Amino acid sequence: MKRIILFGAPGSGKGTQAEKIENEFGYMKISTGDLIRDEVSKKSDIGNKIEDTIKSGNLISDEIIIDIVKKKINGKDITSGYIMDGFPRTLFQAEALSKVEVEKEIPIFLKVNDDMVVKRITSRLFCKTCGKIYNKKFNPPKKRCVCDNCGEVLSERTDDSEEIIKKRIHVYRKETMPVIEFYKQKGNLREIDAVGEINDIYSVVRDIIK
Ligand code: AP5
Ligand code: MG
């Protein structure tokens, strides 16, 4: 069993690369952002509780997110591996994850600069039905605002405004950079320059996880 962990700032391309890994290798994508946005759109008890936190750009509590990840890992038959997109994001989460044993763990850090983050996020679109990620400028759908996969009308995320992006970058630096440092200390973190064409970045990712 392999565990790929994708680290990086908001907009670094974690979701985009996770989707490609899932399609090629069949590893299950566990995107905590997608999972909690599902809870919000279902208007579940958890969803109602966390909606404002997501909109504000803050992290939701470790307890809630760990519970959601546990359910996802235990609820499905994972055969060969899984990809963590957006988890762990705090040292507490990293410690919880390290208790789940795997044969091989591959943490990958997608490095981007802040200007690029803002450019990418302010032009992002996504499909609420299948989760596919697009970009108005860099990765547009074939038909304007319509999902290539399922034909749904594409949406914008409620936390993708320029003001909230700044907050998310701040939270990332404060809470998640120490986690990246933790994996660096472990000695197996792979760092990638994630500015460039999506497919060029994927070919580097692919070589690492093959
Ligand atoms: P989450 O959904 O995980 O957001 P994030 O970490 O801020 O990251 P993003 O999803 O914004 O960016 P990404 O790296 O996936 O980039 P993407 O591939 O989409 O979390 C949202 C919220 O949920 C958090 O703020 C928090 O409240 C909560 N949460 C989630 N996990 C949590 C946890 N573990 N603990 C506590 N709270 C948690 O790409 C971005 C855009 O750029 C797209 O438009 C894409 O098409 C485009 N793009 C991608 N790659 C390229 C490229 N190479 N060139 C040009 N454009 C590109
Ligand atoms: Mg994402």
Side-chain angles (χ1 to χ4, degrees), residues 150-206:
C150 57
E152 279 294 331
V153 174
L154 299 175
S155 309
E156 288 177 5
R157 273 172 45 177
T158 54
D159 58 347
D160 275 354
S161 71
E162 211 167 327
E163 188 197 337
I164 302 301
I165 293 164
K166 286 191 184 126
K167 171 77 186 175
R168 283 161 56 199
I169 293 174
H170 173 78
V171 171
Y172 161 74
R173 292 225 166 88
K174 187 162 169 267
E175 303 287 346
T176 309
M177 287 302 286
V179 182
I180 297 172
E181 196 50 43
F182 168 84
Y183 279 87
K184 212 179 213 171
Q185 296 298 324
K186 278 171 110 183
N188 59 347
L189 182 74
R190 303 296 301 265
E191 302 189 33
I192 296 181
D193 175 6
V195 178
E197 289 291 322
I198 291 172
N199 286 333
D200 292 346
I201 294 158
Y202 181 60
S203 72
V204 178
V205 169
R206 190 172 184 270

Side-chain angles (χ1 to χ4, degrees), residues 10 15 21 27 36 74 84 96 121 130 156 159 163 170 199-200:
I21 301 168
Y27 299 159
I36 60 177
N74 296 333
M84 305 273 13
I121 292 188
C130 72
E156 288 177 5
D159 58 347
E163 188 197 337
H170 173 78
N199 286 333
D200 292 346

Side-chain angles (χ1 to χ4, degrees), residues 34-92:
D34 289 353
L35 292 172
I36 60 177
R37 279 184 290 278
D38 275 355
E39 294 292 333
V40 172
S41 62
K42 281 192 298 197
K43 297 195 182 299
S44 69
D45 287 347
I46 290 180
N48 292 335
K49 216 162 135 184
I50 62 182
E51 186 172 10
D52 287 343
T53 310
I54 299 167
K55 271 190 200 156
S56 72
N58 285 303
L59 295 182
I60 64 170
S61 74
D62 286 333
E63 288 68 25
I64 292 179
I65 204 81
I66 288 171
D67 202 42
I68 288 175
V69 170
K70 263 192 195 156
K71 278 190 192 131
K72 183 77 182 174
I73 291 182
N74 296 333
K76 291 237 174 151
D77 282 341
I78 303 177
T79 46
S80 47
Y82 56 97
I83 314 147
M84 305 273 13
D85 158 18
F87 186 97
R89 248 167 150 106
T90 64
L91 286 169
F92 190 87

Side-chain angles (χ1 to χ4, degrees), residues 9-13 112-125 133-139 156 160-163 165-166 168-169 194-196:
S12 55
V112 288
N113 55 60
D114 288 1
D115 287 348
M116 186 53 75
V117 162
V118 175
K119 267 189 209 147
R120 285 184 186 175
I121 292 188
T122 49
S123 50
R124 169 167 46 201
L125 292 170
I133 304 160
Y134 297 89
N135 193 285
K136 288 179 206 163
K137 293 181 200 152
F138 307 118
N139 186 24
E156 288 177 5
D160 275 354
S161 71
E162 211 167 327
E163 188 197 337
I165 293 164
K166 286 191 184 126
R168 283 161 56 199
I169 293 174
V195 178

